[in-house]
Every structure is written in C-alpha cells, then in structure tokens.
Amino acid sequence: MLGTGFMGIVHTEAIRRLGFVDVVAVSGSSADKAKAFANAMYIDKSSGSWEEIVKDPEIDAVHICTPNVLHHPMAMAAIANGKHVLCEKPLTMNSAEAAEMLAAAEKKGVVHATNHNLRYYPVVQHVRQMVAAGELGEVLAVQGTYSQDWLLYDTDYNWRIEAESNGKLRAMGDIGSHWMDMIQHLTGLEITSVCAELTTFHKTRKKPKGSVQTFTGKTLNPDDYQAIPIATDDFGAVLIHLGDRARGAFTVSQVSAGNKNSFRFEIYGTKCGISWNQERPDELWIGNRNSPNQTIVKDPSLLKGSAAGFADLPGGHSEGYDDSHKQLFKRFYQKIADPSIPVDFPTFADGLHGMKLLEAVTASDAKRGWVDLA
Amino acid sequence: MLGTGFMGIVHTEAIRRLGFVDVVAVSGSSADKAKAFANAMYIDKSSGSWEEIVKDPEIDAVHICTPNVLHHPMAMAAIANGKHVLCEKPLTMNSAEAAEMLAAAEKKGVVHATNHNLRYYPVVQHVRQMVAAGELGEVLAVQGTYSQDWLLYDTDYNWRIEAESNGKLRAMGDIGSHWMDMIQHLTGLEITSVCAELTTFHKTRKKPKGSVQTFTGKTLNPDDYQAIPIATDDFGAVLIHLGDRARGAFTVSQVSAGNKNSFRFEIYGTKCGISWNQERPDELWIGNRNSPNQTIVKDPSLLKGSAAGFADLPGGHSEGYDDSHKQLFKRFYQKIADPSIPVDFPTFADGLHGMKLLEAVTASDAKRGWVDLA
Amino acid sequence: MLGTGFMGIVHTEAIRRLGFVDVVAVSGSSADKAKAFANAMYIDKSSGSWEEIVKDPEIDAVHICTPNVLHHPMAMAAIANGKHVLCEKPLTMNSAEAAEMLAAAEKKGVVHATNHNLRYYPVVQHVRQMVAAGELGEVLAVQGTYSQDWLLYDTDYNWRIEAESNGKLRAMGDIGSHWMDMIQHLTGLEITSVCAELTTFHKTRKKPKGSVQTFTGKTLNPDDYQAIPIATDDFGAVLIHLGDRARGAFTVSQVSAGNKNSFRFEIYGTKCGISWNQERPDELWIGNRNSPNQTIVKDPSLLKGSAAGFADLPGGHSEGYDDSHKQLFKRFYQKIADPSIPVDFPTFADGLHGMKLLEAVTASDAKRGWVDLA
Amino acid sequence: MLGTGFMGIVHTEAIRRLGFVDVVAVSGSSADKAKAFANAMYIDKSSGSWEEIVKDPEIDAVHICTPNVLHHPMAMAAIANGKHVLCEKPLTMNSAEAAEMLAAAEKKGVVHATNHNLRYYPVVQHVRQMVAAGELGEVLAVQGTYSQDWLLYDTDYNWRIEAESNGKLRAMGDIGSHWMDMIQHLTGLEITSVCAELTTFHKTRKKPKGSVQTFTGKTLNPDDYQAIPIATDDFGAVLIHLGDRARGAFTVSQVSAGNKNSFRFEIYGTKCGISWNQERPDELWIGNRNSPNQTIVKDPSLLKGSAAGFADLPGGHSEGYDDSHKQLFKRFYQKIADPSIPVDFPTFADGLHGMKLLEAVTASDAKRGWVDLA
C-alpha cells in the first residue's frame, strides 16, 4: 500500500475482504505516518520510503494511493521490479506518463489497473448490460454532473488544489475523469469531440499552516492561513460528442453546496433512457415513452447477465462505495492468480485514454472551441 | 381567445377562476374548430377569422395561443385595435418582430405579457426571493435541463416540428426559452455568452395525413404517413455565462424517454444551492455545506416575502400547472384594471430578450463557438 | 356557497372553471364575513343567513363548506327546498344525521355528493382501474397514514379542535375519513373490522381570544390565549380488515412535524403493489416482485380506461388539489344537467358509510379491542 | 463461523476488514457444505460438527448464523467452553432460552452480542444522538414498516417458513424484531403495550424437493414441489405504546411486492420528526413545522457526537449493509480485546428483551386485544 490517506484505508479493507490476499506493507510520506497507518490498520511492515516497498521481494502487487504526481515514478519502479500495479485515477499527470506506464507494464507482463471503482456498483453494471443487449436502442443523448461541495469555501484546502501535486485539472481530473470513464464504459462509445470551459472561482485560497485531512476540515478556524494563488479548476462544463451520433453535456464541480458526492448521469436511447445518482447507488431509473418508467432497487434477481455477479447481497441490502472497490480488486487479483482469464477491470489503457480526454478538455478550454479526439 | 389547442383550454379555465374576467369569444384556424371549442368551453362567440375577433369592440384583451408564426400579425392587429395582449412564448419568429410588437404596445399604451407562466410555481418564487435577499450569496454555477419525450419517435408529429409554423428553433424555442427565462428571472442576472450545439436526430419524420392533437398521438398507426425532412432541433446543449461571474450548462430535449415535462434547474451560490424539478413542482431542495440540506414542500408559511402571495392553498396542498397560469393572468388583469400598479409579470420586453438569446444560440451553433450578447 | 373559509374559495374557483355553472350567492357566519367574501370573489349576493340562501329560487345547488355541526341542518333545509347538495366531509356529526340526509335527498330526488375530492387525482383513478382490471391480483395488505403538522403546538387552534363544532373525532374525522374512503374506493372492498386507539396529546390548548384563519396561525403571539380542555384526537392508529382477506393498518396525525398534507397509502396484492403520497400527487409507484418497480408521472396516455378522463393536461403537467375538486364538481353538475347519466362521484351514501366507520373507530377505542361492522 | 448461508459470508468479510481478527474455522449442516464454504472463503478449518468447532482451543469467539432453533444449543455449548458469542437475531426460540443464555454468558464472563446490525447505519446513529440531545423534544408518535417481497408467492420457500427451525413468528420474528429493537434503541423508550394481529396468507406453500438458497429462488420451476401447511406469519400489524406517552403502529410483511428490504420508521416528537428507509440507508429526513424540512446525505461532518464514529467514509460515499456489520463487530472485538471499555453493542439482554416482545405480540394476536409488558 503506497499512501496513508483515506484511500489507503479503503484499499486495505477491500483487499482483506477477498480472503486470499494479504496487506503486507505500507509506505507514507514519512516513516512516522507510515508507522501510524500500519499500527491503526494492523499491517506488519511500514516505511517512509516507497522505493523500499516496491522492491520488497515478499510483495506481489502494489496499490498506488498517493498524490497524482507520484503515480508515474511509483508505477515505473514497481513495474521494473515485476510488481503488479493497481493505481488510483487520474492515472498520471499527462498522457505521455500514462503511455510510458502502459508500455512498461505490457512489456514486463505485469497486471495493471486504473481504479475506476465507480463502474462497479451493481445497478451501473446492469446499465452496461442493457446497452450491450440493445435495450436502450441507439444512444442519442447523455448528460449529468459530478458535483461535490467540499471545496466551496476559500478556506477549504487539500493537496488536490495544488497543480504541482495534482496536475492542472482538479475538479475535471479528480471527478470529471470518473464521469467520462463511466459514460464510455456504459455506452461502449468513445468521446470523439469536446467543447469545454473550466473555471476557478477562488483565485486565491487560504492554506492552513498545519496539515489537513481530506474532506474533514470543514470547520477550520480562519487563523493561521497562508494566501495561495490557485490555478486548478473549481468547476467545468463540457459539451461532448459520443461516438458518431450521440450528443451531450456534463458539469463537474467541487463548489456546489449540498452535493456531497453527487455523480449523476442520464443516458437516452431510441428505446428508453436511464438515470443514476451515486448518492443513491442502489437505485436505477429507466425512462420509457409508452409505458411506465421503471426503478430497480438493487436486486441480483433483476440484474442482467454478468451484472448480477457484481452484487454480493440479496435485493434491498445496500452495497456501497467500499463494495465497489472489493469488486474491482477481486477481479484484479483473480487475474493475477490466473493469467488465463480475461481482463474484467479498467487497465492502464483506460487510464491513458482518460488522460488524452483530459488533455483535449484543457485544449478546448484554452482555444474556446471544439477539439476533436484523434 | 385566439387558438383552440390545448393551451386555449388552459387559458380559458385560468381566466374564469379570476372571477372578474369573462371569456367572450374564440377564433380558430377554421370556423368549425372555433365553434367546436366554443361549444365545449361554453363561450358565446366563435369565429374562423382572428381578424374579426381582434376588432370586436366588446373585447378588452386577447390571448394568443396559436402557432408562433401567427403571434406577430395577431399581436400587431390587436394592439392597433387597442387591445391588451397576452401572448404565448416564444414570443415571435425573430427578435425584429418582437421589437416591433414591444414598440407598438408601448406606443399604444396597452398592457402586454409573454406567458412565461412557469415562473409562478410558489416555491420557484421563493427561490427568487432567496436570491434577492442574498441567501444564496453570489451565484457561481447553474445547470439543468428541460427534457420531454413526446417527439422521441419519428412517427411523432406536431406543428412545432415545422420551421414555417414554429420557427427554426423547436426544442430550444419551445422549452429552452422557458429555461433561459427562468434562470435569469430567478438569479436577476442576464445570460451574457452562449456556446451551443443543436441536433436534429430525426432528419425525416413521418407526418400523418390527417390531423394530430399535440401530445396525444402516442400510439399512432404507422399507415398513411408522409416523409417530411426536418430542420428543427430535437436536442440542444448550451454552455452559458450568467452575469459577470456565474457559469453553467443546460440541455433541452424532446427525445428523452421517460421525461414527460422535466424542467429542472440547479443554482449554486457561495452560501447555498437550490434545485427544482417541474415534475415535482411543490418541492424545493436547498443544498448546504455545513448543515443538513433542506426541502420545502410548498407551504405559504415557509415562503419568503412576496412568494407566499403565489400560493393560494395551505401547505402540502399541491398547486399545479394550471395554477401557475392563474397567478400570471391575475396580475395581468389587475394591471389592466388598475394601471397605477407595478408590472409583476413578464412583458414583451422579456419576450424580446428571449428572442435575442435564441438568436445567439442559433449563431453559436452555426459558428461552433462562443457568442456574446451585446 | 355556504361558508367563507379556505374551502369556500377552493369551491368557488373550481365551479367557475366548468364554464356552465355560476356562483350566485354566499352565506357566512356573519353578514360582514359573507360580504367580504363576495367582494373578494366577485359574487353578486351575500348573506349572514344561510337559511335565506337555501331558499333562493335563483339557486339550483348549494355547496356546504362550514363546520361539521352545520352540515345536517343546512343540507336538510336545502333538500327541503329542492336544491341539489354538495357537502364537505365528514358528512355529519353522526350516522343518524347522515342517514336522514340520504333518505331526504333520495326522496326529494335531488343530486347529492360528499366531497371526497381526493379520489380524483388522475393517478389515483389509475389505481382504481388497475384493481378493477385484476392487475394487483387479490388484495392482501394495505397501509399508510394521513399526517399533518398544523396542530403540533398547543398554541395551534381552529374550530376543528372543538367537539361541539367538529364532532368528537378530529384527526380521524377530518383526514382519517379521507383515508378510509380512499382505500375502499380503490380496492372496491369494505372495511369490515377495526381495532383503533385515539390519542389527545395536548389535553389543553391555548385558544387565541381573537379569530384565527385555518392553517395560517403558525407564528401566533403567545399572549391572550385562553386554556381550553381538548377532547378531540391529535393522533389515531387503526388495524383494519378489508373485505374477507385483506389486512392492514393506518395512522392519522395532526402533530407530525414536517408532514404538511401527507396522505399516503400502499396496497399490496398477489401480483403487485402500489404506493402514493398526496405531497407528490402526480406520481404513482407500482411494486413488482420479478421485474423492476414502476413509476408513473401522470400522463393520460399511460392511464387505464376511465382514469385518463380525470387528467385534463398532457404528461408531466401537474394537476393539483384544485384540479381534483374540478373533476368531482364537473361530474356532479353534469349529473344535474343530465339525470340520465350514471352517478360518478361520492354521494351521501358514501358519506353515511364513512360516518358508520368513524363510529366503529370510536367504539373500538372505547372498548380497547376489535369492532366488526355490521 | 457457525453456518454457511448468506449471513456466514457477510460475517466472514466483515470480520476480516477489522484487520486484527482471523476467521479460523467454519461449521455447516454437513461436512461437505462446510468444506465448500471454507474453500470459497479461504478459511483453514471446516467441520460438519459445530460441537467440534465450539470446543476448538484455537478459537476465542463464535458467530452463530444458523436457523434459530440452533442458537440456544450452540450458544450454551460455546459459553460452556469459554467462547465469546455473537448470535444472529431473533436470539432464540423463546424468552426462556434467551434468559438462560444471558445468565450463562454473564456467569462465565464471556462477551455476548445479538446481531442487530441495522442500528449501525451512520445516519441512524445520528437519530439516536438527536433524541438523546433532546432535539426531537418528547416523542409523541412512531410508525413504519419492515416490508419485503421474497415470500410473496406460494412457491417461495426457505427454512424460515418452518416453525420447527424458525419458531412460530416468521415475518415478525425475522424483521419485526429489527423494527422493535430499532425504535427502542433510538428513542431510549421501551415498548410497554402491544395490540397485534398476525396473518398467514399462504396457508399452504409448495416446498421444492431439492434445496434452495435464501432469496435466490425467485423463478423456480413449479415441478417437484411438496405441499406444506404453513403456521408462520406472512404479515403482521401492531399498535404500540412506547414509554408512557408515545403511541404508534407498524407492520411487517414478506409478501409486499416491490419492497426488497424496506425497513422504514418515522419518529415524531414535540419539536421535529425524522424518517428513514433502509433502501436509501445514507439518507435521513428531518421534518419541521416552522422551518423547511431537512435531509442529511450521510456526512460525518454533519453527524452528532458519537454518530460520526460510525461513518468511515467522507460525505456522500455510501456505506451499506456490510458496513453496518463491520461497525458492530469492531465494537464486539474491541470489547473482547479490552474488557475495560463499555459495551457499545446489543447484548443477549437486548435479545432477551426482544424475545419477550415477540411473546407479547403472540399473546396479543391470540387474545385479539392489548397486552402489557411487565
């Protein structure tokens, strides 16, 4: 486990649920942080040096849960040492890094994954099966948002705000990457053109002089801040072309009060439409023209094809955010255990594609117009 | 009453609820249609000639509920005859017509209104009062959609589909005009730039050889259609600037299965956010960062300032689409009865502003880039 | 129009929408109140004496919208004068009065109605058609509530609180009567046994020395109250048998914070279930076991059989509380206009049945056990 | 782990997430079943004899996830061997068994828990803190249901249907026990009187001759069934007194189509009300009289006092059914690790109290009237 933040905990718990994988070691930005994490999470080894961990012969795979700027060096070193790599999204700082990681991993023959865990809510997989089976008809229009409010105030601060740690795209990179990955994963169509605008509402933010845990510093005392000029986006809006025919729009925001983790999408086809909201992850809405609309409360007996395999509990027993990680990790480690099975999770190729989309968004914002993807 | 369609009925009932205004006469596209409407609705006079009605000395005001192409000639003739005019939206075929109508009405001193009735759901007026009182803080971001499904299939047909009757903008003109009017009415900010794309998914539609009542032909027999090339938009997506600082995006659609009349908007300010959906018109969501979100089920005792005056029933007693017309018409006729009171409804000036916005959307779509409003 | 309260306004507007019925006169508890109402609502005649109104030869029908204690004398006098009578619910103070009214009306041959308007939300009528068509299968279980909060505080006051004006059953009589009427109307089954408990949480309430408009006194000044011992129920809970086989439970409350007018019912059959909430009157939920649940947003094209005739607007255009009155009144006056058509609204027979149920509830509460209906 | 059903999997995963507890062995109704479970879940030891497991010196604690009839013998044997015991609910077949288990566990000094995991959704704990802090005022009324549909058809079968394995109360015992536990846990009040009716709609069910996995046999082939007379309840309705003053009603059902796991409760106090539905476990509704209602989407920063400690993820990141188990188990094993900390989970005392309530419900149904709890 590389990284000791909130995602490090989520990954550790999800791995342990599998029953056939152990969490052996953790690295942090300091030996103390790593040690504290190891103690809290009952992990044997810890280190302030990730370089040490990625060389550990006892270790088969690493999970990269650090600021984005570290993804590439960590992954490259891990691959060089023959470790399998599961990396958080956005995969890298730019598409060149991602391409390099993909090439290295393929060459070395290690298993590689980008953690687009949000694909793995059971009813979301049902949408994918519906589309694949032609139940939506041809996709005409998509829309939605990924909106949060944890950076609403100029006193909100986190490493993601800083372009050096995070890359230039913040809301778009952190959550917009999920939105675009999801819509393509579900429809089986690629985003072919974008017309985007990115906005930084808080041109300056007040950075606390001490340290802040992501998401939790909601009632910080206004003393002892440092004024920091901000270059990363609070909000973005994008028009998209999806495949040849479909059109759409989405927004991303980290300043939309009342939205805690509101990832919403709607997909309208020639036969029916669907709508989903991560804040009610077990529910799926299916819109019809000539018959009543439909809602599914997650129930394996109502899910199509392979979608039922992503639901481990009976109908109406909610499966949450942690469960989506478990589903992805299970498939990642099954692949490691048995290289003959097909890949059933997002790889570095998906992460690379995501970086190219983010670069197109940046280019579109800069030129104030449409940008086509190659 | 000029027009015998669905809106003619809605207007007639809403007028009668006022108690101090009579519906005297109706015109239709034929004498027979007008007569049939008059009989069904218990109206004394009917005529196949609207020119006759607008001259009738017994009549003080006319309601224009016809295809858009007739708005301008009807309004100009009515004004010339000194009639007050309440006209459906979009106000005209283009901004030149609207400007002419506004000038004529002002010169003649008649009362004029554009029927943006959707402003008058009680909880929507509460939003306006919240914004005006500074409860949202500064507006940062807006988003939403106006989505319907009544033109999903290529066998769906209506006069609105034909550019000659309706103007070139269909989804954008019919329902996008409401979206843009609402967001400006509520925030008190004008849309200053747009970047839009309009799409016609059905390039050809099958026109029934007989006549079709709006919205009702959902299960037409596929026989006896005529293939008609279509130039009006099924779907549109727009990025907007609102005032100096706020950013946003919205879509309009008449092909989104399961959306019957789903007019939704979200407005996020520096203090809180709001969200509303016309399919649940009595409910308002207020999003907060550091305290629970809030929901209002329409209740006059919870509405701010003048908003309570738009609710005629106690809390939890729903007020629907018809009621929004009643509220607008009441204020229109009160103004006629007492010219000294302030105008409290959308006038031809609002309708003209709307036409300019629609023209900017058209221009933006054509040039594939941003267009600023003067 | 007998009565000048909130319901008087609702009735007046709904009558006028019909187009073929005039509101000629109004009576109030004083000549001044009646005059004020007549002026505000543009009604020609007013009187402080209802006895005068019910004799007026110009009048064909009366609407009784007064405290319950006056329903019987007013109705009996109106019937004696050959007037058709539409009376608010609960119909009377007891079943003997109701039986007398029914007998008198039948003997005189006048048209009579009990205003269970809530039956006439379009999607509610769809439920009735679903049940009638066997789509629910056999009804097994029903449940729900009618909950409000307008009498939560002991400073809330209204004529309904006083047993002399209202009768002994308050929450149960005012809104429980609607619940029981609805469940029987929709299922076509009669309530055959009840086991009830009624509770008065505020044994004393503070009556303002001045007058209070129903529902509006939410922020009364605590001065100048008079302590009044209260005998009417704030809350009630009832187990029921419905027909031979179905079982269920419901509650009524006027002290449930946050419920403005929350009339909810669920009906479960051997094939599917349904759920509805008056605070979202245009929506219907249909629950399925082996397929997705369904939701209808009111849309005439999706409503079964005669239910579509209760929707005057296209899909997604909300029809609210006022519209439900219009639908009932239209059928009442159509029956007056054409005695040959079948009765399609609740009559005094329904009102009498309701009074018998309320008496069974009272008896059950008194004996603390089950009471069968004859 | 005693038991190899759906709950055995849930328990195993939740234990492993803790990081400091190992799952060492599993027993099943046959050696083969136990072996298959152990293989699938990567558990070292398995046995067809639970008697063997409860004696294993390597084992500190047992989880009892078997049909109810086995709870008592298993727990008594485990306690006799000094094992800590976490047992599924309802705790036993009757209160005598539960009392015996409680006494034995207390005497032996082992830690004991009844698995009312549903208490541990984060927003539910927030309700408990709100009540404790007086934010609801005095509780007046409670209502709700626990409704499912997995036993709707007479072809649905499971061990819970058989009184010998399950005890006489089925819907009431399995899910009604959760409802009653929750309402008392949250309000801090005990149920003091009940008036109940229990109903078996399917007097006969068709038992498949092979074996059936709980919840999954939704589309069984109608061949090869055996007709079994059924004595356990499909549906129940109960009026309750809660503490001295509060009143309420609830239903339980396993035959309500469309309800997958719909555990809903509403609690109304003199200051505000709350409502929750397990099918949307991260949401809490707070109802107010004189201000807007409120909704919380689970967010640790909005949860009161100790409630935040039950949320391990940031706002809007859903925590589901599995997570509620993790929270309970964590506190159970922390208590084992450190006997000095207070008990913060339901014990056998809660399970015993639950059994007494179920016996009161049975008695009330039998006598058709109210039964007071001692």
Side-chain angles (χ1 to χ4, degrees), chain A residues 320-369:
Chain A
Y321 180 78
D322 277 352
D323 301 298
S324 69
H325 289 274
K326 180 184 74 171
Q327 297 297 343
L328 193 154
F329 296 179
K330 179 165 70 177
R331 286 159 177 81
F332 175 72
Y333 283 106
Q334 284 172 339
K335 177 70 184 171
I336 291 172
D338 179 0
S340 72
I341 63 174
V343 168
D344 191 18
F345 49 85
T347 67
F348 286 177
D350 299 82
L352 168 59
H353 180 65
M355 292 315 299
K356 288 180 181 167
L357 282 172
L358 291 176
E359 288 172 350
V361 164
T362 303
S364 170
D365 176 56
K367 75 174 264 205
R368 296 184 62 70

Side-chain angles (χ1 to χ4, degrees), chain D residues 81-92:
Chain D
N81 284 283
K83 310 302 187 198
H84 308 290
V85 181
L86 188 152
C87 185
E88 272 299 330
K89 37 48 57 186
L91 187 58
T92 49

Side-chain angles (χ1 to χ4, degrees), chain D residues 167-182:
Chain D
K168 182 116 181 29
L169 294 180
R170 189 217 318 146
M172 189 59 69
D174 185 20
I175 54 181
S177 61
H178 272 310
W179 203 96
M180 292 190 284
D181 179 73
M182 183 71 95

Side-chain angles (χ1 to χ4, degrees), chain D residues 241-252:
Chain D
H241 289 190
L242 189 67
D244 289 337
R245 191 182 190 195
R247 299 290 178 262
F250 73 96
T251 60
V252 296

Side-chain angles (χ1 to χ4, degrees), chain A residues 13 17 280 283 299 322, chain D residues 17 280 283 322 326:
Chain A
E13 285 196 14
R17 294 169 78 174
R280 291 177 176 172
E283 289 186 30
D299 182 344
D322 277 352
Chain D
R17 294 169 77 174
R280 291 177 174 172
E283 290 186 28
D322 277 352
K326 181 184 73 171

Side-chain angles (χ1 to χ4, degrees), chain A residues 6 9-10 13-14 16-20 40-42 121 146 148-149 214-216 218 258 260-261 278-283 297-299 301-302 312-323 326, chain D residues 6 9-10 13-14 16-20 40-42 121 146 148-149 214-216 218 258 260-261 278-283 297-299 301-302 312-323 326:
Chain A
F6 142 58
I9 301 173
V10 168
E13 285 196 14
R16 285 178 167 155
R17 294 169 78 174
L18 304 179
F20 65 102
M41 299 299 290
Y42 307 96
Y121 290 108
Y146 201 140
Q148 302 177 327
D149 69 3
T214 305
F215 290 102
T216 58
K218 293 196 172 171
K260 302 311 166 189
N261 203 19
Q278 184 178 233
E279 290 187 352
R280 291 177 176 172
D282 288 309
E283 289 186 30
V297 173
K298 190 220 70 181
D299 182 344
S301 75
L302 300 179
D312 286 352
L313 299 175
H317 293 69
S318 57
E319 301 189 51
Y321 180 78
D322 277 352
D323 301 298
K326 180 184 74 171
Chain D
F6 141 58
I9 301 173
V10 168
E13 285 196 13
R16 285 177 167 156
R17 294 169 77 174
L18 304 180
F20 64 102
M41 301 297 292
Y42 307 94
Y121 291 107
Y146 201 140
Q148 303 176 327
D149 69 2
T214 306
F215 290 100
T216 59
K218 294 196 170 171
K260 302 310 167 189
N261 202 19
Q278 183 177 234
E279 290 187 353
R280 291 177 174 172
D282 287 308
E283 290 186 28
V297 173
K298 188 221 72 180
D299 183 345
S301 75
L302 299 179
D312 286 353
L313 298 175
H317 292 70
S318 58
E319 300 189 52
Y321 180 78
D322 277 352
D323 301 299
K326 181 184 73 171

Side-chain angles (χ1 to χ4, degrees), chain C residues 118-169:
Chain C
L118 306 185
R119 293 182 178 186
Y120 297 113
Y121 290 108
V123 298
V124 166
Q125 284 299 307
H126 180 67
V127 174
R128 181 168 155 88
Q129 296 300 320
M130 286 178 70
V131 172
E135 294 187 7
L136 268 74
E138 191 181 358
V139 175
L140 299 177
V142 297
Q143 59 199 34
T145 191
Y146 201 140
S147 292
Q148 301 177 326
D149 69 2
W150 64 292
L151 296 172
L152 174 58
Y153 304 133
D154 67 356
T155 49
D156 297 319
Y157 212 86
N158 179 275
W159 66 261
R160 288 194 187 277
I161 286 172
E162 298 175 355
E164 317 84 72
S165 303
N166 177 82
K168 182 111 181 32
L169 294 180

